[in-house]
Amino acid sequence: MKKLINSADDVLADALKGIEASDGNVRVDHTNRVIYRAEAKDSGKVAIISGGGSGHEPMHGGFVGLGMLDAACCGQVFTSPTPDQMLEATTTVDTGAGVLHIVKNYTGDVMNFEMAAEMAADAGVQVETVLVADDVAVQDSLYTAGRRGVGTTVLLEKIVGAAAEEGQDLASVKAVAQKVADNGRSMGMALTSCTVPSAGKPTFDLPADEMEIGIGIHGEPGRHREPMADAKSIAKQLVDPILHDLDFTGAPVIAMLNGMGGTPLIELYLMYGEVVALLEAAGIKIERNLVGNYITSLDMAGCSLTLVKADDELIRLWDAPVKTAGLRWGL
Amino acid sequence: MTSSTLTLDLLADWLRRFAAIIDENKTYLTELDSAIGDADHGANMARGTAAVVTHLDEATTIDGLLKKAGMTLVSTVGGTSGPLYGTLLMKMGMATGSVVELEPDQFGKALRAGLEGLIARGKTELEDKTMVDALSPAIDAYDAALADGADLWDAVDAAQQAAAAGRDATTPMVARKGRASYLGERSAGHCDPGATSSAYLFDALADVIGT
């Protein structure tokens, strides 16, 4: 393992020091491992919290700031944060209008946020939760933990953050969040595994001539392995399962072609070009897009595609000003 | 020389021994988790149980010991293991009351309460390929042994064997809960990391009762 770290145990603590040093718009509670806005939101506005395992940067800490999150709870690498962190964050950011928890559908995250919401309710804070479960690679059934929460989380944090910023109440903010969650779909693929610092070696072995389709964001193996193919064929393998799952025609679509952390931008742009061609051929209109590394998996090479079937309200909220380390426009 | 009851000191030693076994096996647990999970179970459990050990001497009652240990796991482990192991111990503590010694059957009731809390938190059933597949048969075997008139040592011995058998039985299962469930059929053929660490609870118990 070759990584720019001091020791595997200190990766998170050391990274938080760097985040604090790099971004004047946030402050870091090192004890509780929570990243907050440096300037708290106006009183009476709904606060938005997310969090999860680290290793997906810029998500979530890079999305704390005006127009997005009020706080991000940082777990260890690929490990859910804990209820005490979430409770601290929830009570800190509440301005009296309640708090929305944005939770990716992983068993650990769901359980820890559930415990935190119970504790926050005991402390007199109104909490609502939205679950993101957008990964079409996972067959949703009663016999699994359900679909994983992946790329839609990024787009949802942006849109819901704008709804809270313009003063919508907790019920409306929750409804907007649910609309994005219901209309977002993602599919990912990997060219390589990633290496968790505490493990010291790749999570799985992927031979040079193979790729993993349907990968998540934790180096968990996908649903199937295939021989390496060209970008055009890979794009089709991302687009088809998404379109098979939800009809994206007849609505403005927000698309994100996301890198897993170890893939050069030139390849991501190339892939985006292939994706756009396929979507246009299917009669789908991309109104807004992001191309880059927004929800990563440490040093994994690969990419994921996320589509959100939007409407005028969601596009308006998407365009609203945002000022975070990871996304910034309109200011 | 084996114990006939479960004292505060013995239960503190149990958690100490559990932490030691986890630490000895943390690389192995992470390897198991690499196969069907996210490669963090060993590191997370080692961090959490090490934190538990630092608070063991503070407790003056068994419920205090178990609740503190549970809260410590919840706040240090993360993932699914934190809330699940944390809930197990916290619910055990809530069931024992403020005492310094437990009869074997009272300890069995506490284990049962802990298991029920864990199942409610994880929404887990038998054969989902989880911790429950080791814990549930172990606790059943413990109760059954006591009902047959066995002493504490024999009951714990039965629980230890049932936990190991339950752990081994997870290998062919297809996971229906947690991150391993995303693999579908590919999760079969791998022993479950949670069931493996759960079996250590009974290995640790056997170790401290038998000395």
Side-chain angles (χ1 to χ4, degrees):
Chain A
M1 175 172 74
K2 272 204 278 191
K3 288 184 184 290
L4 299 170
I5 61 176
N6 298 313
S7 82
D9 290 341
D10 297 328
V11 169
L12 177 56
D14 291 352
L16 285 172
K17 286 180 200 152
I19 285 169
E20 185 174 48
S22 72
D23 187 355
N25 292 311
V26 302
R27 67 181 177 86
V28 176
D29 171 351
H30 294 278
T31 308
N32 291 295
R33 301 187 306 282
V34 180
I35 299 170
Y36 293 102
R37 293 187 192 191
E39 284 181 45
K41 179 180 259 167
D42 299 342
S43 185
K45 288 183 177 177
V46 171
I48 315 281
I49 286 183
S50 192
S54 296
H56 307 301
E57 292 69 24
M59 190 186 79
H60 298 273
F63 300 135
V64 172
L66 181 76
M68 281 187 89
L69 303 175
D70 294 276
C73 305
C74 308
Q76 296 293 333
V77 172
F78 290 178
T79 300
S80 167
T82 59
D84 51 313
Q85 288 172 271
M86 298 164 183
L87 178 66
E88 174 70 25
T90 302
T91 50
T92 301
V93 300
D94 182 35
T95 73
V99 181
L100 180 75
H101 286 175
I102 297 173
V103 184
K104 304 191 296 303
N105 188 35
Y106 295 96
T107 312
D109 294 53
V110 171
M111 266 186 230
N112 282 285
F113 268 106
E114 232 171 52
M115 284 180 103
E118 286 166 19
M119 293 174 189
D122 279 349
V125 180
Q126 264 191 296
V127 177
E128 287 284 356
T129 300
V130 64
L131 268 189
V132 184
D134 61 323
D135 187 352
V136 300
V138 175
Q139 290 160 354
D140 189 8
S141 80
L142 292 173
Y143 302 107
T144 72
R147 286 184 163 170
R148 300 176 289 215
V150 285
T152 297
T153 314
V154 176
L155 310 187
L156 186 143
E157 287 177 0
K158 164 65 193 85
I159 291 167
V160 170
E165 213 70 65
E166 68 177 21
Q168 295 190 26
D169 67 11
L170 186 58
S172 321
V173 168
K174 161 90 199 253
V176 168
Q178 197 57 56
K179 184 158 73 172
V180 179
D182 290 344
N183 288 284
R185 298 290 187 277
S186 296
M187 182 75 185
M189 61 79 59
L191 301 170
T192 68
S193 174
C194 52
T195 299
V196 177
S198 64
K201 56 180 194 225
T203 305
F204 60 92
D205 293 316
L206 197 49
D209 56 350
E210 291 185 357
M211 61 181 176
E212 188 97 22
I213 301 289
I215 197 85
I217 51 170
H218 300 94
E220 65 272 56
R223 286 201 82 79
H224 52 93
R225 250 175 219 201
E226 309 206 348
M228 215 21 228
D230 62 8
K232 216 182 280 294
S233 321
I234 295 172
K236 191 166 163 44
Q237 295 219 51
L238 298 182
V239 168
D240 284 354
I242 291 177
L243 299 192
H244 181 74
D245 203 77
L246 184 69
D247 179 4
F248 280 86
T249 56
V253 170
I254 305 173
M256 176 173 72
L257 196 286
N258 169 68
M260 302 309 294
T263 290
L265 274 172
I266 189 170
E267 294 175 36
L268 298 181
Y269 285 119
L270 189 155
M271 279 296 293
Y272 184 68
E274 297 296 342
V275 163
V276 168
L278 290 168
L279 292 174
E280 280 178 351
I284 292 163
K285 184 85 183 83
I286 300 179
E287 290 285 352
R288 301 287 185 275
N289 73 78
L290 289 177
V291 179
N293 296 296
Y294 295 102
I295 166 172
T296 58
S297 182
L298 294 170
D299 51 346
M300 179 187 284
C303 69
S304 63
L305 174 67
T306 298
L307 299 183
V308 168
K309 188 178 184 176
D311 57 18
D312 291 348
E313 182 199 26
L314 297 189
I315 295 287
R316 181 179 63 77
L317 293 168
W318 178 257
D319 288 341
V322 60
K323 190 178 177 188
T324 65
L327 286 181
R328 187 177 299 221
W329 59 71
L331 287 163
Chain B
M1 177 62 203
T2 62
S3 315
S4 57
T5 61
L6 298 111
T7 61
L8 171 65
D9 286 349
L10 185 131
L11 291 173
D13 285 343
W14 170 48
L15 296 175
R16 215 171 266 121
R17 181 71 194 128
F18 178 58
I21 298 176
I22 290 280
D23 194 63
E24 287 159 21
N25 292 282
K26 64 185 174 193
T27 307
Y28 172 61
L29 288 173
T30 289
E31 278 169 12
L32 291 177
D33 199 29
S34 300
I36 57 170
D38 54 359
D40 64 359
H41 190 57
N44 290 347
M45 287 300 292
R47 186 177 57 247
T49 51
V52 165
V53 168
T54 64
H55 295 290
L56 292 175
D57 293 338
E58 298 164 15
T60 54
T61 59
I62 288 174
D63 65 325
L65 176 89
L66 294 171
K67 285 181 199 166
K68 178 70 186 176
M71 268 314 287
T72 304
L73 290 175
V74 164
S75 62
T76 54
V77 177
T80 46
S81 312
L84 291 171
Y85 275 104
T87 299
L88 174 76
L89 292 177
M90 284 194 280
K91 294 289 182 188
M92 279 182 76
M94 289 173 195
T96 64
S98 187
V99 296
V100 293
E101 192 170 8
L102 293 171
E103 293 298 325
D105 64 317
Q106 294 172 313
F107 184 67
K109 286 194 180 78
L111 282 172
R112 177 75 53 194
L115 175 67
E116 283 167 1
L118 182 153
I119 287 171
R121 178 66 62 199
K123 303 173 184 70
T124 316
E125 294 168 17
L126 273 173
E127 299 188 6
D128 280 349
K129 195 178 178 102
T130 70
M131 294 166 67
V132 173
D133 292 310
L135 291 172
S136 189
I139 294 166
D140 287 349
Y142 180 89
D143 287 346
L146 288 183
D148 285 346
D151 65 6
L152 178 62
W153 168 249
D154 286 333
V156 169
D157 186 49
Q160 184 184 16
Q161 292 182 44
R167 171 199 63 213
D168 295 344
T170 64
T171 299
M173 290 176 189
V174 173
R176 294 187 301 211
K177 280 284 184 303
R179 213 162 269 167
S181 68
Y182 305 134
L183 286 171
E185 297 291 334
R186 288 169 70 187
S187 62
H190 299 279
C191 188
D192 182 65
T196 305
S197 58
S198 290
Y200 294 153
L201 275 173
F202 292 93
D203 293 340
L205 195 57
D207 287 350
V208 297
I209 282 170
T211 53

